[in-house]
Amino acid sequence: MPFQHPEEIGYGYVIERYAARKDSGYARYLVLKSGRFLRPEWPHAEQFVRRLIDDSATITDGELEALLGYEWRSRLTAAWLIGVGRRATFRERIGGLLLASEFCFSGGAYCFALARFGTHADAEILTAYLDRYLPRTDLRYDQPAALGALLRLDAHLGTRHAGRFIQPDGLWDEWVKGVGRLGYPRHTLAEQRRWTDLPCEFANGWSRS
C-alpha cells in the first residue's frame, strides 16, 4: 500500500499530537509498543490511559487516516486509538494493513483492534491472515498476535475459527517449529490468548464504550 507523510495531506501535526506525545516522559507509541501501561505499578499509568481514552474519542477520521497512511509508529498509535474507541468503521482499513504486513511492530495493534470490534467479520480477517502467513515458516510476523485475537473471538462468539490451525501437527505447530529453527522462542496457545486478553480487558475496564 502507498504511504505518505501526513504533512503532504495537511495533517502534519498528527504525529506530534498523537504518536509522539509524551504523557509519561516517553513517546506514546513506545509506551503502547512496550505495554508498560498495563502494569498497575507503573506510576504514569492513570494519566497515560486517560489521555489515550480522550484521544480515542475525539480524534477525527481524517486524522486517523493520516496516521494509518504513514509508517509503523503512527500506524501502531492509530490502531490502538481505533481499538480503544471501537471505531469499527475502520475494520476494512485495518484488515488491509494487517494482510499487507508492510511494517514491523504495528501488526499486533491491528489484531488488538479487531479483537476489540469482536464480530464474525473480524474473525474472518484474522483467519485470512493466518491462512496467508502461517504456511510461511520462514517468517515471524504477527502470527502469534493474530491467533491470540482469533482465540479470544472464538470464545466470545462461540465459534471455532481457530480450530483447524491449532489441531496437532497443524499449521500452528508447523509454524512454531519453523520459526524455532530460526532462533525464535516457542509460543503456547495460552500465552497468545493471554497477551490478547490483557489489553482487551484493560480497554474494557477503562474506555467509555
Side-chain angles (χ1 to χ4, degrees):
M1 295 181 180
F3 62 97
Q4 60 187 165
H5 196 289
E7 287 182 350
E8 298 176 33
I9 53 174
Y11 288 95
Y13 62 89
V14 295
I15 295 175
E16 189 66 29
R17 180 172 175 180
Y18 295 111
R21 67 174 296 168
K22 296 181 179 180
D23 297 323
S24 60
Y26 300 93
R28 174 181 277 168
Y29 73 86
L30 285 174
V31 177
L32 292 171
K33 178 178 176 292
S34 70
R36 60 167 52 91
F37 63 98
L38 297 171
R39 301 197 294 267
E41 69 274 13
W42 190 51
H44 306 289
E46 183 171 351
Q47 174 177 279
F48 178 87
V49 168
R50 292 196 181 282
R51 290 181 178 174
L52 182 70
I53 292 167
D54 288 344
D55 283 349
S56 75
T58 59
I59 189 170
T60 69
D61 287 356
E63 290 170 331
L64 285 169
E65 281 291 353
L67 289 168
L68 289 173
Y70 194 38
E71 41 77 278
W72 71 267
R73 298 166 187 83
S74 60
R75 292 184 181 190
L76 179 151
T77 305
W80 264 95
L81 292 169
I82 288 167
V84 170
R86 281 203 172 110
R87 306 280 279 269
T89 54
F90 282 88
R91 175 181 289 111
E92 184 176 346
R93 185 80 164 100
I94 289 289
L97 291 170
L98 177 63
L99 288 169
S101 290
E102 295 171 311
F103 294 112
C104 58
F105 304 127
S106 52
Y110 305 148
C111 294
F112 160 74
L114 295 170
R116 280 280 289 163
F117 298 158
T119 71
H120 292 282
D122 306 297
E124 289 173 2
I125 293 170
L126 292 163
T127 298
Y129 177 86
L130 292 168
D131 275 330
R132 180 179 299 184
Y133 289 104
L134 276 183
R136 294 297 307 273
T137 56
D138 60 324
L139 297 178
R140 186 184 185 277
Y141 281 2
D142 297 291
Q143 294 93 332
L147 184 60
L150 189 58
L151 288 168
R152 180 179 175 87
L153 287 179
D154 275 346
H156 173 69
L157 298 169
T159 53
R160 286 192 49 79
H161 294 286
R164 62 188 177 85
F165 299 118
I166 62 177
Q167 61 187 351
D169 299 319
L171 282 173
W172 174 252
D173 282 349
E174 291 302 310
W175 180 81
V176 169
K177 291 175 187 175
V179 296
R181 288 191 288 270
L182 299 176
Y184 291 106
R186 293 186 63 83
H187 303 272
T188 68
L189 298 177
E191 286 172 335
Q192 301 325 308
R193 172 68 190 274
R194 176 175 177 271
W195 285 114
T196 302
D197 285 343
L198 276 175
C200 286
E201 293 305 322
F202 143 81
N204 287 343
W206 281 89
S207 60
R208 294 168 173 168
S209 59

